[in-house]
Amino acid sequence: MAARRVGAGTSGRSGLILDSFTRRVAQFGYDGTNFSDIASELGISKGTIVHHYGTKDRLLASLHESYMRRRLAEAYLILNRLSSPSEQLAGLLFAFMLYHEHDRDATVAFQREISRLADQESLSEGVRLRGEYLELVRGVLRKGMESGQFRQGDPKIQSLLIMGSAQWAWTWFDPSGPHTADEVASSLVDMVLGGLLARPAAAPGLADPGGPVPKVVRSCFADVASHDEPAETA
């Protein structure tokens, strides 16, 4: 699947600025990214960037917010299209790794600067969106325990362990390396659900990279990417 434009939902010159900023943060980090390089790449003045975004912190906030809105739109579709908590969690886990294929630059930029994202007041909307996503994961975990599909545990701790492992993938996962995103996602699903399921024998079927769960995930990615604005959540 072709990677979605990182500035989706942001049109015109402001979208091009956000795209360039995102690519550079993914490659060089926030501290290694400056307005001069973005202006030179796009053939515009630094004043044009300031006109659209004001400060570099505001650009990072825009990256954070746009990224999380896309991920939330996809997550809500995944939960709507998969019925059981085990399928839903498998879908979210597949998504965590497939982001590296579907929206690579934005994912690396987001994960690379995750600690900075938590420290700035200007990023409060992005932090709220990230909290909403985390609560979705915890809701699936709670439903799985209530239904008897998952063993009893602490959804807060479990969700942080799951998200923590996914957020460091940018440091080691190479899309051109020996393992595909699907293969890595399959291992993640098998490992997590193998530990959570009351009947662990069901984990391999949920982890099948050619199975129905990743197909649903990819269809959700495609549907969100086909719209300029993320799908409305319910």
Side-chain angles (χ1 to χ4, degrees):
M1 180 183 296
R4 187 185 182 201
R5 187 175 72 78
V6 293
T10 305
S11 61
R13 186 163 287 175
S14 62
L16 295 175
I17 293 168
L18 182 57
D19 286 355
S20 177
F21 175 76
T22 301
R23 287 192 301 272
R24 290 179 178 278
V25 172
Q27 186 173 1
F28 305 113
Y30 179 82
D31 291 332
T33 299
N34 58 67
F35 282 4
S36 294
D37 290 337
I38 295 172
S40 177
E41 175 190 336
L42 298 179
I44 60 176
S45 68
K46 289 192 289 183
T48 300
I49 302 173
V50 173
H51 169 74
H52 283 283
Y53 288 100
T55 66
K56 195 165 80 164
D57 283 354
R58 188 58 237 168
L59 250 176
L60 183 64
S62 295
L63 186 162
H64 189 187
E65 292 165 20
S66 64
Y67 183 80
M68 285 311 310
R69 287 193 180 102
R70 295 198 296 281
R71 301 296 81 91
L72 274 168
E74 293 155 358
Y76 278 111
L77 284 181
I78 289 168
L79 298 190
N80 285 335
R81 293 178 183 180
L82 295 172
S83 56
S84 70
S86 59
E87 291 174 328
Q88 290 172 340
L89 184 58
L92 294 176
L93 291 168
F94 265 104
F96 291 162
M97 285 308 307
L98 294 181
Y99 297 153
H100 284 270
E101 172 191 276
H102 170 69
D103 202 358
R104 174 69 177 169
D105 286 338
T107 296
V108 173
F110 176 84
Q111 293 182 353
R112 182 170 188 154
E113 299 297 336
I114 193 70
S115 60
R116 190 188 303 271
L117 295 174
D119 295 336
Q120 300 183 35
E121 186 176 345
S122 64
L123 302 174
S124 58
E125 175 62 9
V127 171
R128 184 192 69 77
L129 294 169
R130 190 149 42 92
E132 183 178 346
Y133 193 105
L134 188 60
E135 186 53 37
L136 283 183
V137 176
R138 289 172 179 170
V140 172
L141 290 167
R142 284 192 291 267
K143 286 192 298 182
M145 292 174 198
E146 291 165 3
S147 67
Q149 287 190 28
F150 297 163
R151 296 186 296 128
Q152 294 299 308
D154 186 329
K156 182 176 180 179
I157 294 174
Q158 292 169 342
S159 65
L160 291 173
L161 288 169
I162 291 168
M163 298 296 286
S165 65
Q167 286 169 351
W168 280 102
W170 76 273
T171 64
W172 57 265
F173 177 69
D174 179 1
S176 63
H179 301 290
T180 67
D182 290 274
E183 290 170 338
V184 175
S186 176
S187 292
L188 179 63
V189 172
D190 189 58
M191 180 178 67
V192 172
L193 285 175
L196 287 176
L197 286 169
R199 296 180 178 178
L206 294 165
D208 181 3
V213 171
K215 290 180 182 177
V216 168
V217 172
R218 289 184 183 279
S219 74
C220 293
F221 284 180
D223 287 348
V224 171
S226 68
H227 295 85
D228 287 338
E229 294 291 341
E232 182 177 344
T233 59

